[in-house]
Amino acid sequence: MVHATFRFYDGLNDFLARAQRGVDATVPCARDATTKHMIEALGVPHTEVELILVNGASSGLERILEEGDRVAMYPRFARLDVAPLARLPQQPPGRLRFVADAHLGGLARLLRMAGFDTIYRNTIADGQIEELAVIETRIVLTRDRELLKRRGVEFGCYVRALHAQEQLHEVFDRYRLAERARPFTLCLHCNAPLRSVAKAEVLDRLPPAVCASQEIFTTCDCCGRVFWKGSHWKRMAAMLDAAMDDDQLSAPEEDN
C-alpha cells in the first residue's frame, strides 16, 4: 500500500461524498494503482477531468502513484490558465460522433437535428454503448457516472442538465459544436442522412395543407419520412439558434 493525497476542484466535487468536497483527502492506494484507477475509485469519471497535477507537474491517467504523491484534478470549466500544461484530451480527432444512453432520447434527437451523428435506442445497454464507443470512436453521453468508468470508454460527458434543451446547450458548450453544426441534414428518427427530393415524388405522403403551402422537401431513405419547413421547423430552428449563439442556420427542412 502507498498513500496519496487527492484534491478535486470546481464541478468535480459534485461526484464526491460530501465530506471529501473541497478538501485534501489522503487515502490508501494499491501498489501500481494509476491516477485513473484512484480518480474513479473516489467516484469521479475520468472523462470529466481535463487536467491532472501530480506534485505540481501535469500528468496523465496512467501514472503509477507513489508514496506521498499529491494529486490535484481540474475539470474543463475550472477558472485557471492551464495553457502551458498538458491537458487530457476531451474528444477524439476529426468528426465528432456520439452515442447517448437510454435516458437521453430528447438530447439525441436535438443533436441529430443539429447534424451530429448520434446513436440512440431506448433499449440500448451499457455494454452496447461501450462497444460502440470503442469500435466507432464515439463520445458517450450519459447521466450514469458508472458507465463513464467502463474500461472501453475513452471519451464521454456526464450530462448534468435534466431537460433536453438545456442538455443541448451543455453539450454544445463543452465540445464547441456551433462551428461544426450542419442543421437539418440528418433524420431525427433514424440518424441517416437526408436528401433533397422533388415534390412530385412525395405527393402521396403529404398532408393537403402542406402540399398547398410547401415546395422544398427532403426525405430519409431509411424510414421514408418527409421533411419540410413548417411550424415545427421554426420552433426547432429557434432552439438551435439559442444553442449556437444566434449563428445563422442554412437550408433546413422540417419533419412534421
Side-chain angles (χ1 to χ4, degrees):
M1 280 284 187
V2 299
H3 292 79
T5 300
F6 296 84
R7 176 70 179 269
F8 294 87
Y9 288 87
D10 291 352
L12 298 181
N13 283 282
D14 296 344
F15 298 100
L16 300 177
R18 189 172 300 276
Q20 294 176 319
R21 295 175 185 172
V23 299
D24 290 357
T26 301
V27 298
C29 312
R31 289 197 178 277
D32 298 328
T34 63
T35 52
K36 178 180 184 294
H37 172 82
M38 290 306 302
I39 287 169
E40 295 192 330
L42 291 168
V44 179
H46 75 276
T47 58
E48 303 308 295
V49 178
E50 185 177 29
L51 175 66
I52 302 173
L53 300 180
V54 179
N55 304 324
S58 54
S59 176
L61 289 167
E62 301 307 319
R63 186 189 191 281
I64 302 297
L65 293 169
E66 300 177 357
E67 180 65 32
D69 277 346
R70 298 185 63 85
V71 186
M73 278 73 56
Y74 299 86
R76 178 181 173 276
F77 299 109
R79 295 180 180 178
L80 179 71
D81 181 10
V82 296
L85 303 173
R87 304 187 189 196
L88 300 179
Q90 298 291 293
Q91 61 190 53
R95 184 166 65 100
L96 297 186
R97 299 189 294 177
F98 301 93
V99 54
D101 74 15
H103 304 288
L104 295 178
L107 172 61
R109 182 179 172 89
L110 293 179
L111 284 169
R112 290 172 180 175
M113 180 177 69
F116 294 99
D117 180 343
T118 306
I119 291 178
Y120 165 80
R121 295 187 297 275
N122 59 11
T123 57
I124 195 166
D126 288 358
Q128 294 173 299
I129 292 174
E130 181 181 15
E131 184 177 5
L132 286 165
V134 173
I135 295 174
E136 300 184 7
T137 319
R138 291 182 179 269
I139 297 172
V140 175
L141 303 175
T142 183
R143 285 186 47 77
D144 178 2
R145 71 182 71 182
E146 296 305 317
L147 173 55
L148 294 176
K149 295 178 186 179
R150 283 182 169 249
R151 184 183 299 275
V153 177
E154 183 176 1
F155 303 104
C157 173
Y158 180 81
V159 180
R160 286 172 164 78
L162 298 178
H163 302 291
Q165 189 169 352
E166 295 170 0
Q167 292 169 346
L168 181 69
H169 280 266
E170 185 177 333
V171 174
F172 256 66
D173 185 44
R174 174 159 175 166
Y175 295 107
R176 299 179 176 90
L177 295 184
E179 61 188 22
R180 301 188 184 209
R182 297 177 61 240
F184 302 96
T185 57
L186 294 179
C187 178
L188 276 63
H189 305 273
C190 300
N191 198 43
L194 298 177
R195 66 175 177 86
S196 297
V197 63
K199 184 175 181 178
E201 293 183 40
V202 294
L203 280 176
D204 60 336
R205 288 182 272 168
L206 300 179
V210 172
C211 188
S213 63
Q214 301 292 330
E215 297 297 329
I216 299 174
F217 301 90
T218 58
T219 188
C220 172
D221 290 328
C222 289
C223 68
R225 285 179 170 86
V226 180
F227 300 79
W228 59 87
K229 292 194 286 187
S231 59
H232 187 44
W233 171 81
K234 293 176 183 177
R235 291 192 298 271
M236 294 161 61
M239 198 180 302
L240 278 183
D241 268 332
M244 296 168 65
D245 250 346
D246 296 324
D247 284 353
Q248 293 297 311
L249 305 183
S250 60
E253 271 81 57
E254 182 222 86
D255 175 20
N256 194 25

